[in-house]
Amino acid sequence: MPENAAPNERPTPPRRSAPWIWGAAALTVLLGSALALSLGQSNGKLAPGVRVGGVDVGGLSTEQAQAQLSGRLPTAPQITVKAGDQSWQVSAAELGWQRDTAAALEQAQAYTTGRSWPERLSHLTGSAQPANFEVSAKVDPQKAAGKLAELTAPLGFAPQDGEVKFDGKAYRYVVAGGREGKRADTQAAAQQFAAHPDQTELTVPFQAVSSQYSPAKLKAQVDKGNALLRPLKVQLKDSDAAITLPVPQVADLYWATRDGIKPDAKAIQKTFDSVLAQVDHPAVPARYVAQGSQWLPKEGRSGYEVQRSEARKIFERDLLNPETKTSVWPAKTTQPSFTVDDLPDPAKLQLIATGESTYDGSSESRRENVRVAAQKLDGYVVPAGQNFSFLQAVGGITAKDGFVSGLIISGGQTVDGLGGGVCQVSTTAFRSLYKAGLPVVERNQHTYRVPYYEPQTGFEAAVYDPGLDLVMKNDTGAPLVVRTLNDNAHSRLRVELWGTKPKREVTVSDAVVTAQMPAPAPHYVLNPNLAPGQRRYVEGSRPGMYLHINRTIKDAKGSHTDRVETRYEPWSGTIEQGPAQ
């Protein structure tokens, strides 16, 4: 009995719940669990009411939604592509354009999984508002560039190299030919389309394409070359001696090329030597002047000599500097190597050796040059132990020195040039000096056999100012005096060498021929000044010949022999002819 129960009172049994109540509670628990499960899980399906690009994809998996969108979304738009004055209508798909449904579905999936419970419940009850995700577009730049390159290929063209040429009439360098190329910048256009895939018009820009030697690049070289085309004055320092090179002569000293300015070393050296011969005035030693049968002494004079090595560098430097208008060459004052007091006593001079030659058939200009050269050489004194220089003795072969134009051998052909006939004098002098036994320092031969020096074939010496000299050493131990006797009426020249006769015996042999070659056929040269069919004989062909001349010298030391080698190549004569009839 319960502790608090009254006596004889029956306790009330506990009340039991009805069975239906327990069932309702269980159902409620089950429904709640299902709802929670439904609200908490999406099963990979998109939330109800989700739209992508306006297409309902709610309740579909991503793959199902992708398939749904493929058939429902609009096709790719048309794009107007412009390049220059050309245009094309192209499907955007051809340019790598496509709708980015994957990105939109990814956003829809994220939305689905990220909903709150109330939002999920509203979707279950159908009270939620639809969620729409726009589909953006994307572009594959490489595909776009490829299609654009295909479209614009005919519009571009490759650059062409130009050339640097010299206009001989205007004496100016010019750019000839060449052009800039043009190329469509498809990469830039493709990147622009990728950045703005919604645009419906696309313009392809063009780029200028330059070659390695484009006209623009060559113009810089042309300008450099033309800047150097100016008269260039050459002057000796602290002297009035000067000469100005005209533009045509300056133009021959270098080339403007597409790779830059190229000095012509040979032309520069030749011009330097020519200018040097005109401005260089070394001291002139005392000498004798023949007056009838007497030799009268003539005092020498001081001079100035160019410092050649330094002047050569300065000349080229100044030539290639367009700012330089005057090239100043260093020079020093020189004094005569000997004076009148040093001249040998004419009464004690002995005839040592004689050289002779004839010049029948010479033109008046050639005869004049023989006369001038012989006169300048007459009375020249060579101090003991010093060298005889023919060019120094005559003082240069220039117009101001009295020489005139005549036929000379230059550049492998017979042409009109200053001083033609001077070699008659140098050859005759050589014969006298060689017979005297003087050592040869420099001797040059003619290219082919010259009839004026026959019959002593090969016994000759060619000179050319500047560049070719006749130089022999005075080893007699006493001064030498050169005497020239020119008989123009009989075309005979005689050069005598006077001094103290050395104790030696000199014998010179005739030419020893070692090879002979036949004369080639003459060649014909067009002369437009001749009448049609007319011909003019210039010079005949000459056979080739290799030979040497022996010289035997006997003195107190014994006997020794040397030789002079001469190689005449076969020479083709020249005949000028008028135009064809």
Side-chain angles (χ1 to χ4, degrees):
M1 177 180 294
E3 189 177 309
N4 296 328
N8 300 320
E9 188 177 313
R10 190 175 180 183
T12 303
R15 300 181 66 182
R16 298 182 178 177
S17 300
W20 63 271
I21 294 177
W22 287 102
L27 178 61
T28 299
V29 172
L30 291 172
L31 290 174
S33 299
L35 178 60
L37 183 62
S38 176
L39 293 174
Q41 297 182 356
S42 62
N43 297 323
K45 303 293 182 65
L46 298 174
V50 170
R51 293 173 176 272
V52 173
V55 178
D56 186 3
V57 293
L60 301 179
S61 66
T62 302
E63 291 76 12
Q64 291 171 334
Q66 185 72 52
Q68 180 83 337
L69 294 173
S70 298
R72 298 286 299 278
L73 292 177
T75 58
Q78 290 293 107
I79 303 296
T80 301
V81 177
K82 293 184 177 181
D85 57 357
Q86 299 291 316
S87 63
W88 302 268
Q89 290 294 318
V90 181
S91 169
E94 293 184 77
L95 297 174
W97 184 96
Q98 61 180 339
R99 298 185 188 279
D100 197 357
T101 55
L105 288 173
E106 185 176 336
Q107 293 175 6
Q109 187 65 50
Y111 166 76
T112 298
T113 58
R115 292 171 298 162
S116 65
W117 283 65
E119 288 176 326
R120 293 171 184 267
L121 183 59
S122 65
H123 280 110
L124 286 176
T125 61
S127 60
Q129 293 295 323
N132 186 55
F133 296 92
E134 294 297 332
V135 179
S136 62
K138 66 178 182 179
V139 173
D140 179 355
Q142 291 303 111
K143 186 172 181 180
K147 181 61 179 179
L148 294 175
E150 176 186 334
L151 293 173
T152 59
L155 304 181
F157 50 85
Q160 292 181 350
D161 286 339
E163 293 182 276
V164 175
K165 291 189 174 181
F166 186 74
D167 185 340
K169 294 182 179 179
Y171 273 95
R172 303 289 293 174
Y173 283 99
V174 296
V175 177
R179 69 177 184 186
E180 297 285 346
K182 186 173 76 170
R183 178 177 61 204
D185 193 351
T186 56
Q187 291 292 339
Q191 293 296 334
Q192 172 69 14
F193 190 33
H196 304 281
D198 294 331
Q199 65 188 86
T200 58
E201 184 175 294
L202 181 61
T203 299
V204 181
F206 282 94
Q207 289 180 319
V209 183
S210 296
S211 63
Q212 182 180 1
Y213 301 108
S214 66
K217 294 178 182 177
L218 293 182
K219 186 178 183 302
Q221 305 300 345
V222 164
D223 290 343
K224 290 179 182 178
N226 288 333
L228 297 175
L229 292 173
R230 82 289 187 200
L232 182 62
K233 182 179 180 180
V234 175
Q235 183 166 359
L236 298 191
K237 186 178 181 180
D238 301 326
S239 170
D240 295 332
I243 185 174
T244 298
L245 303 179
V247 171
Q249 193 170 1
V250 172
D252 289 338
L253 304 181
Y254 68 92
W255 291 101
T257 72
R258 59 186 190 178
D259 294 314
I261 302 299
K262 305 293 185 184
D264 187 332
K266 290 184 177 180
I268 291 175
Q269 186 62 50
K270 182 178 180 180
T271 300
F272 174 80
D273 292 339
S274 176
V275 173
L276 185 66
Q278 298 178 64
V279 300
D280 195 24
H281 293 280
V284 176
R287 64 183 298 164
Y288 282 109
V289 176
Q291 186 172 351
S293 59
Q294 294 184 331
W295 284 359
L296 302 180
K298 180 180 180 181
E299 188 60 86
R301 61 168 175 80
S302 62
Y304 41 85
E305 292 184 5
V306 175
Q307 308 300 296
R308 298 193 178 201
S309 178
E310 186 178 354
R312 174 63 176 80
K313 296 176 183 178
I314 291 174
F315 180 49
E316 184 165 345
R317 180 200 67 191
D318 293 343
L319 167 70
L320 301 177
N321 183 357
E323 301 300 323
T324 301
K325 303 299 186 292
T326 300
S327 181
V328 180
W329 294 3
K332 66 177 181 180
T333 301
T334 57
Q335 299 299 327
S337 57
F338 57 96
T339 65
V340 168
D341 294 337
D342 301 318
L343 292 176
D345 184 354
K348 296 181 179 180
L349 296 177
Q350 299 173 299
L351 180 62
I352 299 175
T354 300
E356 295 181 333
S357 68
T358 59
Y359 50 95
D360 292 313
S362 292
S363 65
E364 289 303 315
S365 61
R366 192 174 190 278
R367 291 176 179 275
E368 176 63 12
N369 288 327
V370 170
R371 183 193 70 80
V372 173
Q375 184 182 59
K376 289 179 176 293
L377 184 61
D378 190 30
Y380 186 76
V381 178
V382 187
Q386 295 189 21
N387 288 339
F388 165 84
S389 165
F390 182 85
L391 293 182
Q392 184 177 339
V394 300
I397 304 172
T398 65
K400 71 177 183 178
D401 292 315
F403 293 97
V404 298
S405 293
L407 293 179
I408 62 173
I409 302 175
S410 178
Q413 56 184 331
T414 303
V415 297
D416 192 58
L418 193 66
V422 172
C423 292
Q424 188 80 42
V425 183
S426 62
T427 289
T428 312
F430 172 63
R431 291 173 178 176
S432 177
L433 297 169
Y434 195 68
K435 288 179 179 179
L438 272 60
V440 178
V441 178
E442 178 185 349
R443 175 257 177 186
N444 301 279
Q445 66 162 76
H446 290 81
T447 305
Y448 57 80
R449 292 176 65 182
V450 178
Y452 302 120
Y453 311 138
E454 303 290 345
Q456 301 178 66
T457 306
F459 200 4
E460 48 102 333
V463 293
Y464 184 82
D465 186 21
L468 300 180
D469 198 1
L470 170 63
V471 182
M472 301 185 74
K473 184 177 180 62
N474 178 7
D475 67 340
T476 63
L480 293 173
V481 180
V482 181
R483 183 73 200 275
T484 61
L485 303 171
N486 181 36
D487 184 357
N488 182 56
H490 297 91
S491 303
R492 292 182 179 276
L493 179 65
R494 178 185 176 94
V495 175
E496 299 174 343
L497 191 63
W498 293 76
T500 300
K501 196 167 186 177
K503 296 179 179 180
R504 61 190 178 197
E505 180 182 339
V506 181
T507 304
V508 177
S509 73
D510 292 332
V512 178
V513 179
T514 58
Q516 296 191 65
M517 290 75 73
H523 63 280
Y524 293 84
V525 178
L526 176 65
N527 185 343
N529 297 320
L530 297 179
Q534 181 182 0
R535 292 182 176 178
R536 186 173 75 90
Y537 174 86
V538 178
E539 60 178 337
S541 298
R542 295 175 175 85
M545 179 181 293
Y546 295 172
L547 58 92
H548 63 264
I549 295 174
N550 296 321
R551 178 176 67 174
T552 301
I553 301 176
K554 296 180 180 180
D555 54 22
K557 296 180 181 180
S559 175
H560 64 277
T561 301
D562 57 26
R563 65 171 52 179
V564 172
E565 300 277 355
T566 302
R567 297 169 66 92
Y568 294 128
E569 301 297 337
W571 184 264
S572 174
T574 302
I575 299 176
E576 294 180 342
Q577 61 182 5
Q581 294 179 333

